[in-house]
Amino acid sequence: MHPFEEDQHECQCPVLEERSPPTILFSILSRKHYGNGSMTTAADIRRQYSLSHHNCHCDQRRTVCLKDPEGVCQAASTVLVKTIRFMSSLPSFRHLPQRDQLALLYHSWVPLFVLGLAQEHTEFEVTASPANSILKRILLNTSDRGREMEEPTAMPTLANVHKIKACLHRLWNLDLSPKEYAYIKGALLFNPDVPGLQAPEFIKSLQQEAHRALHEVIVTLHPQDQGRLLRILLTFSSLQTIPHSLVSELFFRPVVGQADLFQLMREILSSGTVTRSTAAEREWSKHCQQ
């Protein structure tokens, strides 16, 4: 069942044209099954065959948006702030050169954010995007091209949303402990392969430390589950394939509009760890409430 109501439309998948026409036997049986005393044409038979046998991919390419943008975007914003606070709470991260901090933030915020969604058990549903909304996004993205440190915008499609949900379900099925979440986040954050780092060797040692700690926790909590680490690492890899622009467009564009999302994250990061809301976080909340 699709998470949005399916519009009646004529499928344009080229695979339909490539299919062999129904056989004579199929036509006879179809006429018996579908005929109600009226003449069943060859076109009717072909259409029934197509509808029953064609695994259509058109729906997977449809552009979608959140069904409850106000509630989900607010929850997503809370998760993102917590994610950035997690980074800034780590002494080893704060001691890195600012350039390395920003590079690691840019390259890791999406997988860390999805981990945060899983840890907070945040669920969401999508619906088909209105046609005028799609046109508006295309025009705005064309006029603002190159404004943000983002790859070309990936419009949220049902197929891409399924990728995010598949990652979430894998994480939920693993039933990770708080310590496992923390060490997975550390391993994702301290990525020595990020281009342009000033302290790659130190960052590599931090990632190795996170991997060792994760292995120790798994052995302690799940001594009989020898495949657990491998499943976690596979999920780890899938998190890194989610495009930045997909998460930005789906969860944050509805509330921040054309504001520079990464700049907002930089401001929250630079504010440091505090117990009360920072000016950057208040600004973020203002965007979310508009």
Side-chain angles (χ1 to χ4, degrees):
M1 178 178 178
H2 296 304
F4 58 82
E5 294 181 2
E6 183 179 355
D7 296 329
Q8 296 298 320
H9 69 291
E10 189 71 23
C11 177
Q12 301 298 320
C13 287
V15 69
L16 268 181
E17 302 299 327
E18 299 170 4
R19 289 188 177 273
S20 302
T23 63
I24 295 174
L25 178 60
F26 176 84
S27 300
I28 294 172
L29 294 175
S30 297
R31 190 172 291 114
K32 282 184 178 181
H33 183 72
Y34 293 109
N36 293 318
S38 59
M39 182 66 69
T40 304
T41 66
D44 293 332
I45 294 170
R46 182 181 292 275
R47 178 167 181 78
Q48 290 291 351
Y49 176 80
S50 299
L51 290 174
S52 61
H53 288 76
H54 174 46
N55 184 18
C56 179
H57 296 285
C58 290
D59 286 338
Q60 299 297 311
R61 296 195 296 267
R62 286 191 185 182
T63 305
V64 296
C65 60
L66 293 171
K67 186 174 288 186
D68 175 24
E70 183 177 353
V72 175
C73 289
Q74 185 63 50
S77 300
T78 300
V79 169
L80 184 60
V81 170
K82 286 184 177 180
T83 298
I84 299 173
R85 281 188 166 189
F86 165 79
M87 297 180 191
S88 59
S89 70
L90 301 174
S92 52
F93 181 82
R94 294 201 307 270
H95 292 157
L96 290 171
Q98 185 180 31
R99 176 178 169 180
D100 285 6
Q101 291 183 27
L102 294 178
L104 294 178
L105 169 64
Y106 177 70
H107 283 86
S108 68
W109 78 266
V110 167
L112 290 177
F113 167 76
V114 177
L115 268 176
L117 290 180
Q119 191 169 13
E120 298 292 330
H121 291 275
T122 304
E123 299 191 53
F124 63 94
E125 297 297 334
V126 295
T127 186
S129 293
N132 61 341
S133 174
I134 298 173
L135 177 60
K136 181 179 178 181
R137 286 190 189 184
I138 292 173
L139 294 174
L140 287 174
N141 287 328
T142 301
S143 62
D144 288 348
R145 185 171 296 162
R147 181 178 175 181
E148 296 186 19
M149 292 175 58
E150 295 279 355
E151 71 271 23
T153 300
M155 302 293 279
T157 62
L158 187 59
N160 283 333
V161 169
H162 280 170
K163 291 179 183 178
I164 297 177
K165 288 198 167 193
C167 287
L168 291 175
H169 283 289
R170 289 192 200 105
L171 290 165
W172 289 331
N173 288 337
L174 285 166
D175 194 19
L176 298 167
S177 68
K179 284 188 176 181
E180 286 173 312
Y181 269 114
Y183 294 135
I184 294 171
K185 289 177 183 179
L188 282 168
L189 173 60
F190 296 115
N191 181 2
D193 297 325
V194 169
L197 293 175
Q198 294 178 304
E201 291 303 317
F202 177 59
I203 291 170
K204 182 178 180 179
S205 69
L206 294 173
Q207 187 182 63
Q208 291 173 342
E209 183 180 339
H211 279 144
R212 281 195 300 270
L214 175 61
H215 181 262
E216 290 175 4
V217 169
I218 291 173
V219 170
T220 302
L221 298 180
H222 307 276
Q224 305 301 321
D225 192 350
Q226 297 182 355
R228 185 174 180 82
L229 179 60
L230 177 59
R231 295 197 302 275
I232 288 176
L233 293 177
L234 288 173
T235 305
F236 181 104
S237 298
S238 64
L239 287 171
Q240 295 175 306
T241 65
I242 299 174
H244 286 198
S245 56
L246 171 61
V247 174
S248 299
E249 292 295 317
L250 183 64
F251 293 104
F252 300 108
R253 196 63 63 205
V255 290
V256 302
Q258 294 306 302
D260 190 329
L261 178 61
F262 187 66
Q263 180 59 34
L264 290 172
M265 289 191 284
R266 288 179 61 172
E267 292 173 7
I268 296 173
L269 179 66
S270 63
S271 66
T273 54
V274 293
T275 56
R276 287 181 292 180
S277 297
T278 63
E281 289 175 23
R282 288 194 295 271
E283 181 67 18
W284 176 269
S285 298
K286 183 176 73 173
H287 276 291
C288 294
Q289 292 168 4
Q290 286 177 347

